[in-house]
């Protein structure tokens, strides 16, 4: 937080450049909520989990807020209410977060069996900020349940946990950049949808060392390999290996923190895309891998990434836009989003490898994450790893898991052992 009102009591903060979009497009049908979960080695106890949240939340200004609508922009204000109630999970994940039913908070914490779930409205932070919060919540919970692992630091946060609320978009943007985003319409995934309110989740757990060996065989990174398998699955299962007039374009969020020396807990990512245009019959998987690699490599340049977000920030800081009332800005942002939303077939995001303090490792089994569907993207993929296990998670509102089956079948054909787990939607 960086501001106070005239009484000095209530602090407030601006939304970052990316966050400004989410309130304009979010609703029951497109929630912009993501989930990060940790699976423990024993069942979760609700009372200590609530106590842990009560202890940890006041230390995180970025989560301890409610959102207000100003005249010109939305803004965050310190939330003076008690933390949201921790509940056992009974609904499908990634539902819209109704602030007035959640003590005005923009996140929720649930549990089920051995699992703790953190669901976050993307306006607060991206996946890195979510991991930051969930990890500290888990540490505090484990200290309460297992007092023997406490040390002299007590209930303090870990030294490697950032509390920075810098708007790294504004700090790093450069004037005069043109839009580099592709708005050409991509191939869209169509078909029968699940009944309203249902949400299908399929996890595939794989050894990281095996994935790296296979990716090395194809001369690509692990991330490029998985994105290529995703593209291949759509190409073979939905287009049936035939030419199509529209490209399969998969959005890949890039964490900008390593490029710009940032440890902010606000959103700080940008989208690039892996594009494959099937303009002839019968591409091989090796060809698709090579095309995906060249497509992504051509955009993974600091200057290009800077150009992409600088264009968006320049619109936010435009002196002619500042006095425009919020309701008009919302209409404009929604219109721009609607035009650009169909430029990607899907999204595959990589949360990265989650590291935890050695003291807590014996009590933690796995982390995974997934994201809600959005306009034109009824199927998405999320990568998250812990130790030597990687979870590739599909989240979908499609009735048939044909792309998911093709994806894991290809992984298995490449010699990688896959353990499948679902939320039961596709077992009925």
């Amino acid at each position: 937080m960086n501001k106070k009102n005239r009484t000095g009591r209530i602090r407030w903060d601006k939304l970052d450049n990316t966050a400004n979009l989410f309130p304009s497009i979010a609703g029951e049908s497109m929630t912009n909520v993501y989930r990060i979960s940790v699976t423990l080695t024993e069942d979760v106890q609700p009372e200590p989990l609530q106590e842990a949240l009560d202890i940890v939340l006041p230390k995180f200004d970025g989560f301890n807020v409610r959102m207000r609508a100003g005249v010109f922009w939305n803004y965050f204000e310190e939330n003076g209410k008690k933390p949201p109630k921790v509940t056992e999970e009974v609904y499908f994940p990634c539902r819209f977060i109704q602030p007035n039913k959640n003590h005005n908070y923009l996140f929720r914490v649930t549990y089920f069996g051995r699992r703790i779930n953190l669901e976050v409205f993307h306006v607060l932070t991206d996946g890195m900020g979510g991991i930051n919060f969930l990890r500290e919540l888990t540490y505090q919970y484990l200290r309460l349940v297992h007092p023997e692992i406490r040390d002299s630091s007590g209930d303090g946060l870990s030294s490697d946990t950032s509390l920075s609320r810098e708007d790294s978009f504004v700090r790093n943007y450069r004037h005069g950049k043109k839009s580099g985003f592709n708005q050409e319409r991509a191939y869209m995934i169509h078909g029968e949808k699940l009944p309203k309110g249902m949400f299908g989740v399929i996890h595939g757990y794989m050894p990281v060392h095996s994935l790296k060996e296979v990716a090395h065989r194809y001369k690509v990174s692990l991330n490029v390999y998985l994105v290529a398998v995703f593209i291949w699955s759509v190409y073979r299962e939905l287009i049936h290996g035939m030419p199509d007039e529209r490209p399969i374009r998969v959005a890949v969020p890039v964490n900008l923190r390593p490029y710009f020396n940032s440890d902010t807990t606000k959103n700080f990512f940008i989208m690039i895309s892996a594009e494959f245009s099937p303009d002839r019959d019968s591409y091989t998987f090796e060809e698709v891998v090579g095309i995906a690699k060249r497509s992504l490599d051509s955009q993974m340049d600091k200057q290009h990434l800077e150009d992409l977000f600088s264009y968006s920030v320049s619109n936010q800081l435009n002196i002619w836009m500042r006095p425009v009332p919020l309701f008009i800005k919302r209409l404009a942002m929604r219109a721009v989003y609607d035009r650009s939303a169909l430029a990607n077939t899907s999204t595959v995001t990589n949360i990265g490898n989650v590291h935890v303090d050695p003291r807590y490792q014996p009590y933690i089994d796995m982390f995974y994450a997934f994201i809600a569907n959005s306009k034109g993207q009824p199927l998405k993929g999320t990568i998250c790893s812990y130790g030597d296990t990687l979870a590739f998670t599909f989240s979908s509102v499609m009735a048939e898991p044909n792309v998911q089956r093709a994806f894991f079948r290809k992984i298995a054909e490449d010699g990688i052992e896959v353990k499948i787990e679902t939320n039961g939607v596709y077992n009925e």
Side-chain angles (χ1 to χ4, degrees):
M1 293 298 171
N2 56 10
K3 302 293 182 181
K4 293 184 179 181
N5 70 1
R6 284 178 293 181
T7 68
R9 287 196 302 269
I10 299 178
R11 296 171 295 176
W12 66 275
D13 196 12
K14 296 178 180 179
L15 276 64
D16 62 74
N17 179 257
T18 297
N20 278 314
L21 171 67
F22 295 122
S24 301
I25 62 175
E28 295 288 351
S29 61
M30 190 167 65
T31 66
N32 287 283
V33 170
Y34 65 83
R35 169 180 287 197
I36 303 175
S37 298
V38 57
T39 305
L40 305 180
T41 57
E42 57 195 13
D43 284 349
V44 175
Q45 301 175 39
E47 291 81 8
L49 182 57
Q50 182 69 65
E51 185 179 351
L53 180 60
D54 295 347
I55 293 171
V56 168
L57 180 58
K59 301 174 183 178
F60 281 84
D61 286 347
F63 279 78
N64 191 22
V65 294
R66 56 184 173 182
M67 188 171 61
R68 296 287 204 182
V71 177
F72 304 113
W73 291 104
N74 292 299
Y75 65 94
F76 292 131
E77 182 180 79
E78 183 180 13
N79 192 331
K81 297 185 178 181
K82 63 182 182 180
K85 182 175 175 56
V86 170
T87 60
E88 186 172 19
E89 182 179 21
V90 293
Y91 300 106
F92 285 103
C94 295
R95 294 174 298 114
F96 184 62
I97 296 176
Q98 294 280 6
N100 61 346
K101 297 180 179 179
N102 195 47
H103 297 177
N104 288 330
Y105 289 98
L106 302 172
F107 72 94
R108 67 169 67 96
V109 175
T110 63
Y111 66 94
F112 187 83
R114 298 185 294 122
R115 190 179 67 234
I116 300 172
N117 308 307
L118 172 67
E119 295 194 338
V120 182
F121 183 26
H122 223 316
V123 72
L124 288 183
T125 183
D126 55 23
M128 297 302 294
I131 285 288
N132 210 31
F133 185 79
L134 177 60
R135 188 164 43 200
E136 287 295 344
L137 176 64
T138 304
Y139 288 173
Q140 182 61 58
Y141 168 80
L142 290 172
R143 287 196 295 268
L144 292 170
V145 175
H146 297 280
E148 67 274 12
I149 63 175
R150 285 177 178 268
D151 63 10
S152 58
S153 63
D155 290 333
L157 299 180
S158 302
S159 59
D160 58 350
T161 292
S162 172
L163 295 177
S164 169
R165 295 297 290 164
E166 173 192 82
D167 189 335
S168 294
F169 285 115
V170 172
R171 180 171 71 85
N172 292 286
Y173 105 101
R174 299 292 178 265
H175 296 277
K177 302 301 181 182
K178 296 182 180 180
S179 174
F181 293 104
N182 193 332
Q183 295 192 353
E184 175 193 357
R185 186 164 178 169
Y187 174 82
M188 297 286 103
I189 296 175
H190 296 290
E192 183 184 353
K193 302 281 183 68
L194 291 168
K196 186 176 180 179
M198 293 185 71
F199 193 71
V201 179
I202 300 178
H203 308 287
Y205 299 104
M206 298 161 272
V208 172
H209 71 273
S210 297
L211 282 164
K212 287 182 176 179
E213 289 174 4
V214 171
H216 181 73
R217 198 163 71 218
Y218 288 108
K219 298 180 173 61
V220 296
S221 69
L222 184 155
N223 198 59
V224 170
Y225 169 72
L226 291 172
V227 171
V229 176
F230 189 102
I231 292 172
W232 174 255
S233 303
V234 173
Y235 170 61
R236 297 299 303 176
E237 195 66 29
L238 302 183
I239 304 179
H240 307 295
M242 301 293 288
D244 196 273
E245 61 182 9
R246 299 198 185 279
I248 301 171
R249 193 179 296 121
V250 175
V252 178
V254 177
N255 174 23
L256 295 171
R257 293 170 181 83
Y259 292 89
F260 297 93
N261 192 29
S262 169
D263 63 352
T264 184
T265 57
K266 289 191 175 186
N267 289 291
F268 195 40
F269 69 95
I270 199 71
M271 293 285 196
I272 63 173
S273 297
E275 181 173 323
F276 166 58
S277 299
D279 52 11
R280 60 172 172 81
D281 291 339
S282 302
Y283 284 84
T284 65
F285 178 67
E286 288 77 7
E287 288 176 309
V288 172
V289 171
I291 292 168
K293 181 181 187 303
R294 289 190 293 275
S295 179
L296 290 172
D297 284 353
S298 68
Q299 301 166 74
M300 290 294 289
D301 171 80
K302 181 179 178 180
Q303 183 64 55
H304 177 68
L305 298 173
E306 182 182 278
D307 289 349
L308 289 177
F309 72 76
S310 290
Y311 173 77
S312 300
V313 174
S314 65
N315 288 332
Q316 174 191 341
L317 299 181
N318 188 310
I319 60 172
W320 302 109
M321 282 289 291
R322 292 180 188 177
V324 175
L326 178 59
F327 78 93
I328 295 178
K329 287 190 177 94
R330 282 177 172 169
L331 292 173
M333 286 189 284
R334 183 68 190 235
V336 170
Y337 174 80
D338 286 345
R339 287 199 302 272
S340 62
L342 303 182
N344 288 294
T345 306
S346 185
T347 297
V348 173
T349 183
N350 191 342
I351 300 294
N353 183 260
V354 181
H355 299 279
V356 302
D357 186 298
R359 282 187 295 153
Y360 305 99
Q361 289 177 3
Y363 306 93
I364 296 174
D365 186 49
M366 188 60 196
F367 285 86
Y368 66 77
F370 54 88
I371 50 182
N373 64 294
S374 58
K375 182 172 182 177
Q377 297 187 34
L379 171 69
K380 296 187 179 185
T382 304
I383 303 164
C384 183
S385 60
Y386 174 67
D388 190 50
T389 302
L390 180 144
F392 191 102
T393 301
F394 283 99
S395 47
S396 177
V397 293
M398 301 300 295
E400 290 296 327
N402 44 2
V403 172
Q404 296 95 309
R405 279 194 296 259
F407 180 92
F408 292 121
R409 185 167 59 243
K410 174 58 184 169
I411 294 283
E413 287 172 357
D414 276 342
I416 299 167
E417 182 181 355
V418 185
K419 177 184 176 183
I420 303 296
E421 181 181 88
T422 81
N423 68 340
V425 166
Y426 299 111
N427 298 338
E428 298 176 356

